[in-house]
Amino acid sequence: MHILDGYLDLWVAAVAALTSIAVLAFAARRSAGELDGPRAPLLGVTAAAIFAAQMLNLPIPGGTSVHFVGGAFAAILLGPHLAALAMTAVVAVQALVFGDGGIVVLGGNVLSMAIVEVYVGYAIFRVLRPYHERVAVVAAAWTGITLAALTSAVMLGVSQAFAYDVGTVLSIMGGWHGLLGVAEGAITLLAYEFVRETRPDLVADRTSTIDRRRLFRRGSAVVGGLVVLSPAFAWAAGRVGYTEPLEHAAEATGATAHAVTTLPGILPDYGIPGVDPYVGTLVSGVVGAALVLAIGWLAGRPLDPDREPR
Amino acid sequence: MSPVDPVSRSAGTLTDRARGLLRDERVAERPGWLQAVHPVVKLLGVFALIVVTVTFDAPGPPAAMLAVTLVLAGLSRLPPKAHALRTGVPMAVSLVIVAPQAVVFSGSALAGPITVPGASYVATFVLRVGASVSLLGLLLSTTRFASLLGALRSLRVPRTAVTMLAITYRYLLVVFEELSRLVLARRSRRLRSATLRESWREAGALLGTFLLRALDRGERVGRAARSRGGTTGRTYVRRQAIGVADAAFASVVFAAVAAGVLLT
Amino acid sequence: MNALAARDLSFAYPDGTTAIEGLDLTIEAGERVAILGPNGAGKSTLLSLLAGLREPAGGEMSYFETDDPADELRDRIAHCPQAPADYLFNATVREDLEYGPAQLGIDRREAADRVDALAAEFKLESLLEKPPFRLSGGEQRRAALAAALAVEPDLLLLDEPVADVDAGHRETILDALDARNEDGTTIVVSTPDADLVAHVADRVVLLDHEGSIVRDGPVRAVLTDDELLGEVGVSPPQLVEAFQRAGVEDPPLTVEEAVERLRDGSHC
Ligand SMILES: Nc1ncnc2c1ncn2[C@@H]1O[C@H](COP(=O)(O)OP(=O)(O)OP(=O)(O)O)[C@@H](O)[C@H]1O
Ligand SMILES: [Mg+2]
């Protein structure tokens, strides 16, 4: 899912980076105090371990293998804010040590893999847990990874540098990661059950009382803020995008309209044959709305009560 | 214990990663041009070059940039094969991904269904990715990670963030080794080849054990840091003088950025 | 003045294991104390509690007869954990030696002098630029001790400080500890090895399996009480055992003592 330098337009990379910085600053503030104490080393070591764990190959029928990503699992173990910071360290070290993913697009990769995956995974887990714990874990992992992929897809799709349009990229990446998400869900569940048996205290339900009014206030503030800001984003995109040379090329040649008809044939593994690009666009709308809701809901969550350092 | 057992193959992946990391560290110690450039200058320079590169919209400029990076790689004594692989693989993948566009773009035919604008777009895209990846590769293989962190610190990246990255890096090889040990220990205790279901169960337990151990280790390291005055991130910076190598690199960056801006 | 005082200290791990319960301990400034106990007795847990690195489930700690919490006294209290790998978390050994002084805001020149002196004392000169995880176990142990000493603490809490070092380096470490103690540093060492105790301590705190103190007294009195040691599951020092079996009362504790006695012929 790592995006490389050269795939995203600069403005997309910049917007993603600013969004990531804002969310991470929020996460750091929500976990402040924890972070100045012994937490930075804890997160650093955990990040290294998640990085290593991502190299674990898991067999799937057909002779190939998939690997673990771990954003949702980290969120369940560490809580969303610390997990977002740890996953950011993973993504940053991947880029800055191994060159997986670029440095100009680092913010974009952090946004999808360290922020969307973690917060969405955590939100799903918390919502579903009261009803069915195992389902909650699987759903958290599946949704986290799928929405992370869709976030990447949106960034790629709106980038003129990457000639495919949003609908195409969304349906391809969404479809593929929807499948990968099944594996992620399964392995996350297995690991979760192991942890629950050996260290029940780590995954104990620490539900704190929810102040519904505060939740509502926060939620409406976030949604309202986004609504107010969206024309600004669109305007900025228009301004910057205006100078993007490929836009003209793509428009002039009608590239966007044709892309989807050729691609599934060329990349049969990835494609969902017959998915209309407009369905993809619809998906993106639904995803966007879900994201806003998830973020709004999370903003209203009281932070986990601190875990005693052992 | 079938030879293709993916869980066991993980040990190989881990070893490869570790080897890549150690190779980069060795290259960073070699005497060479970019190795002598101050990390802050290098980081900013490479960043600027990538920013310029990704805005190119014709195949010429990114091709020139790629050529420049290859010269820089030579002058910095990078191992050619490793650098070629590091750059070539992402280029090949990108080629596969955007190849259909060669046909999709309409315009005068080049060969068969391939059109001139299509081919030009594909070439631009692939070269852009290649030049960017090559630039990043230059930065990473000529800079020790500790120096890169020092650069981030001088650039006012929050101290806690830098501390966290430093510790992540510090424990990478340690956890790689630990995970390979866990994988191999499980394999050595298995009597027959595992079914798919068993493999998954095993991988789940393996991951659980491994991550729990990491959490424990993280807490121990955290306590050690606390007993030593916390993680304020303060260090004694070792200043590196700015010299000829820096000036030369800065002029390359300046020339390339100027050319890029003027040409596009 | 006392260096530390623990009152009614208890601690349980999150999985429910009770490691320490209702423990009282006062250590005077300048004392040399060994915490002796079998594997799993709770020595490491106790040491980290004494260093204020874990929140006790109950009880209180105080240091140097002040009310200051341990976190405000990190320049005076040093704790070296059982696994040196956890202690050396920087990129190079030099950075690890500099870490404590840097956190405490000590002048860089002063810090550099300390690092040089410690590197010479612990024979680490050739290792200074190496990443700590490429050091052998014994080298890591020495590096960790040197790093702990770099802040020049008044109270040293060392968890098995000579585990995995060879005989020559063991002497180096023991000499270093003696030198610090002569300057007034309080030293608390944990070990499951009764043979070491006489070299590092004048007073022994004996822990049993449940993590409670079963005996707290002068080294000679505790180490020659073979019945008590046997109950707890710690074997007495080999010399003590040998001389006791030979029917000698008041057996020697160290080789030097034994040699002296044998020379004098006072053993029989
Ligand atoms: N992280 C942990 N979680 C749960 N229990 C633990 C943990 N660490 C130690 N224990 C338990 O606490 C008790 C005391 O452990 P501790 O490490 O303090 O013993 P010790 O005396 O230092 O032993 P050793 O001589 O082997 O170092 C033991 O029963 C051990 O099993
Ligand atoms: Mg111990």
Side-chain angles (χ1 to χ4, degrees):
Chain A
M1 212 192 296
H2 289 93
I3 299 176
L4 293 174
D5 282 330
Y7 275 70
L8 294 188
D9 289 352
L10 279 182
W11 72 269
V12 177
V15 170
L18 290 179
T19 314
S20 299
I21 290 173
V23 177
L24 292 176
F26 167 75
R29 228 183 42 148
R30 290 300 292 264
S31 45
E34 292 185 46
L35 211 56
D36 294 333
R39 289 291 172 165
L42 172 69
L43 293 184
V45 175
T46 311
I50 292 174
F51 189 167
Q54 291 186 344
M55 272 167 249
L56 201 66
N57 298 297
L58 303 162
I60 50 172
T64 45
S65 60
V66 293
H67 68 86
F68 173 69
V69 179
F73 193 57
I76 293 172
L77 278 188
L78 298 171
H81 307 303
L82 292 178
L85 296 170
M87 291 302 288
T88 301
V90 174
V91 175
V93 165
Q94 281 167 343
L96 295 176
V97 177
F98 296 95
D100 298 346
I103 52 172
V104 172
V105 295
L106 183 59
N109 284 326
V110 166
L111 183 63
S112 62
M113 285 180 277
I115 292 176
V116 172
E117 191 176 331
V118 166
Y119 281 98
V120 168
Y122 186 74
I124 300 282
F125 177 68
R126 286 297 292 266
V127 170
L128 296 184
R129 179 180 203 164
Y131 306 102
H132 196 293
E133 193 175 7
R134 295 163 57 110
V135 169
V137 174
V138 174
W142 184 85
T143 322
I145 201 168
T146 307
L147 282 198
L150 292 182
T151 310
S152 297
V154 170
M155 291 187 289
L156 287 167
V158 299
S159 286
Q160 300 294 341
F162 194 64
Y164 298 104
D165 66 322
V166 180
T168 315
V169 188
L170 267 179
S171 40
I172 292 174
M173 288 200 57
W176 177 235
H177 283 91
L179 290 179
L180 288 183
V182 175
E184 178 79 6
I187 190 67
T188 303
L189 178 62
L190 288 169
Y192 177 86
E193 297 211 310
F194 179 86
V195 171
R196 202 188 45 190
E197 262 166 41
T198 41
R199 284 293 303 278
D201 56 294
L202 275 183
V203 291
D205 197 355
R206 289 176 304 272
T207 326
S208 33
T209 50
I210 303 167
D211 180 345
R212 284 183 184 280
R213 254 187 316 181
R214 201 181 89 176
L215 181 71
F216 181 73
R217 264 203 318 273
R218 294 275 191 99
S220 23
V222 169
V223 175
L226 285 176
V227 169
V228 172
L229 278 180
S230 54
F233 279 126
W235 178 80
R239 296 295 304 177
V240 190
Y242 185 68
T243 55
E244 277 308 318
L246 274 167
E247 191 178 7
H248 305 301
E251 265 169 24
T253 56
T256 47
H258 290 285
V260 76
T261 51
T262 11
L263 205 69
I266 309 258
L267 296 172
D269 275 354
Y270 291 179
I272 318 170
V275 171
D276 191 85
Y278 297 104
V279 176
T281 317
L282 195 67
V283 170
S284 84
V286 173
V287 168
L291 268 182
V292 170
L293 283 180
I295 293 171
W297 178 77
L298 264 169
R301 299 301 296 183
L303 189 67
D304 275 357
D306 286 1
R307 253 175 241 155
E308 285 290 299
R310 278 169 292 157
Chain B
M1 233 192 292
S2 67
V4 289
D5 175 12
V7 180
S8 310
R9 206 167 57 220
S10 312
T13 317
L14 286 160
T15 318
D16 288 347
R17 282 301 194 141
R19 208 172 280 143
L21 188 144
L22 295 175
R23 186 195 56 229
D24 274 357
E25 289 226 325
R26 270 197 310 278
V27 175
E29 302 292 333
R30 287 185 192 174
W33 180 8
L34 285 183
Q35 284 86 339
V37 175
H38 192 283
V40 173
V41 176
K42 205 171 4 177
L43 180 61
L44 293 178
V46 166
F47 193 84
L49 289 179
I50 295 180
V51 167
V52 176
T53 304
V54 300
T55 54
F56 288 143
D57 60 344
M65 184 67 81
L66 184 57
V68 170
T69 64
L70 296 183
V71 173
L72 286 173
L75 292 173
S76 308
R77 306 181 55 209
L78 260 58
K81 215 178 110 192
H83 191 71
L85 263 182
R86 178 176 240 171
T87 313
V89 171
M91 285 177 81
V93 172
S94 304
L95 179 63
V96 171
I97 291 175
V98 295
Q101 296 291 343
V103 186
V104 171
F105 274 67
S106 55
S108 50
L110 181 70
I114 299 176
T115 63
V116 175
S120 158
Y121 167 76
V122 171
T124 309
F125 187 85
V126 172
L127 286 166
R128 230 168 24 201
V129 170
S132 312
V133 172
S134 179
L135 279 166
L136 184 57
L138 279 179
L139 172 69
L140 301 186
S141 38
T142 60
T143 321
R144 286 179 54 229
F145 192 65
S147 322
L148 205 58
L149 291 178
L152 292 179
R153 230 176 252 130
S154 337
L155 293 172
R156 300 268 176 275
V157 172
R159 281 170 171 174
T160 324
V162 179
T163 307
M164 199 165 91
L165 288 183
I167 290 181
T168 305
Y169 183 75
R170 156 71 178 82
Y171 283 94
L172 271 187
L173 288 179
V174 177
V175 296
F176 282 9
E177 238 166 62
E178 180 165 312
L179 186 58
S180 333
R181 268 204 311 274
L182 281 176
V183 168
L184 294 179
R186 290 205 165 241
R187 188 169 68 172
S188 71
R189 284 162 61 183
R190 193 159 68 222
L191 301 175
R192 57 189 170 77
S193 68
T195 63
L196 195 64
R197 203 187 149 83
E198 285 167 350
S199 284
W200 275 77
R201 288 224 154 274
E202 188 180 285
L206 191 86
L207 266 182
T209 318
F210 175 65
L211 291 175
L212 284 183
R213 280 197 200 190
L215 283 181
D216 274 346
R217 185 199 296 278
E219 281 176 350
R220 288 198 307 269
V221 175
R223 271 198 301 279
R226 190 169 158 202
S227 80
R228 296 166 76 183
T231 49
T232 61
R234 270 187 232 120
T235 50
Y236 299 113
V237 262
R238 258 167 279 284
R239 279 192 198 84
Q240 188 182 335
I242 302 278
V244 184
D246 299 275
F249 180 66
S251 30
V252 168
V253 173
F254 188 74
V257 171
V261 171
L262 292 180
L263 287 180
T264 45
Chain C
M1 186 180 76
N2 65 43
L4 70 82
R7 268 178 307 277
D8 197 22
L9 211 57
S10 31
F11 181 83
Y13 281 100
D15 66 357
T17 316
T18 308
I20 299 291
E21 210 170 342
L23 181 141
D24 291 292
L25 182 65
T26 305
I27 292 175
E28 294 299 320
E31 261 193 302
R32 297 195 309 158
V33 181
I35 303 207
L36 180 64
N39 286 150
K43 304 181 293 293
S44 301
T45 312
L46 176 59
L47 233 53
S48 57
L49 279 167
L50 294 182
L53 296 172
R54 295 181 191 273
E55 299 316 316
E60 284 168 24
M61 288 294 313
S62 75
Y63 304 91
F64 311 113
E65 291 177 0
T66 63
D67 290 333
D68 296 347
D71 278 338
E72 278 166 30
L73 297 165
R74 292 296 168 208
D75 53 337
R76 300 186 65 189
I77 307 170
H79 168 263
C80 212
Q82 187 165 356
D86 300 327
Y87 199 69
L88 304 167
F89 50 78
N90 289 286
T92 64
V93 174
R94 180 187 294 283
E95 280 174 35
D96 257 313
L97 297 195
E98 282 175 349
Y99 185 86
Q103 301 312 300
L104 301 171
I106 290 166
D107 175 67
R108 65 179 295 136
R109 213 159 294 134
E110 162 78 22
D113 289 345
R114 286 189 192 179
V115 170
D116 290 341
L118 285 166
E121 186 176 6
F122 288 91
K123 310 199 178 72
L124 296 166
E125 288 107 329
S126 59
L127 305 173
L128 278 179
E129 305 309 327
K130 277 186 105 175
F133 60 90
R134 304 226 180 98
L135 265 46
S136 76
E139 289 168 344
Q140 289 190 16
R141 175 74 59 188
R142 280 183 280 140
L145 282 173
L149 291 171
V151 295
E152 303 192 341
D154 299 325
L155 171 59
L156 261 175
L157 300 153
L158 308 176
D159 203 347
E160 307 199 13
V162 295
D164 54 38
V165 293
D166 62 36
H169 290 116
R170 190 178 126 117
E171 284 312 307
T172 310
I173 292 172
L174 296 182
D175 289 347
L177 295 186
D178 281 343
R180 299 300 185 288
N181 184 247
E182 264 158 39
D183 295 342
T185 307
T186 314
I187 297 181
V188 182
V189 164
S190 87
T191 178
D193 173 13
D195 281 293
L196 177 69
V197 170
H199 296 277
V200 292
D202 308 308
R203 171 181 164 198
V204 193
V205 174
L206 186 62
L207 293 187
D208 65 4
H209 270 292
E210 272 69 57
S212 6
I213 299 179
V214 287
R215 185 75 187 274
D216 179 351
V219 167
R220 180 165 300 277
V222 179
L223 291 188
T224 51
D225 190 341
D226 54 341
E227 217 167 280
L228 181 65
L229 291 180
E231 266 170 39
V232 172
V234 173
S235 48
Q238 291 193 333
L239 277 172
V240 172
E241 200 175 350
F243 278 75
Q244 274 179 340
R245 282 218 212 144
V248 179
E249 278 176 28
D250 191 24
L253 295 175
T254 61
V255 173
E256 294 76 42
E257 247 178 83
V259 170
E260 221 164 86
R261 294 260 211 107
L262 289 170
R263 285 234 176 87
D264 298 350
S266 64
H267 61 289
C268 37

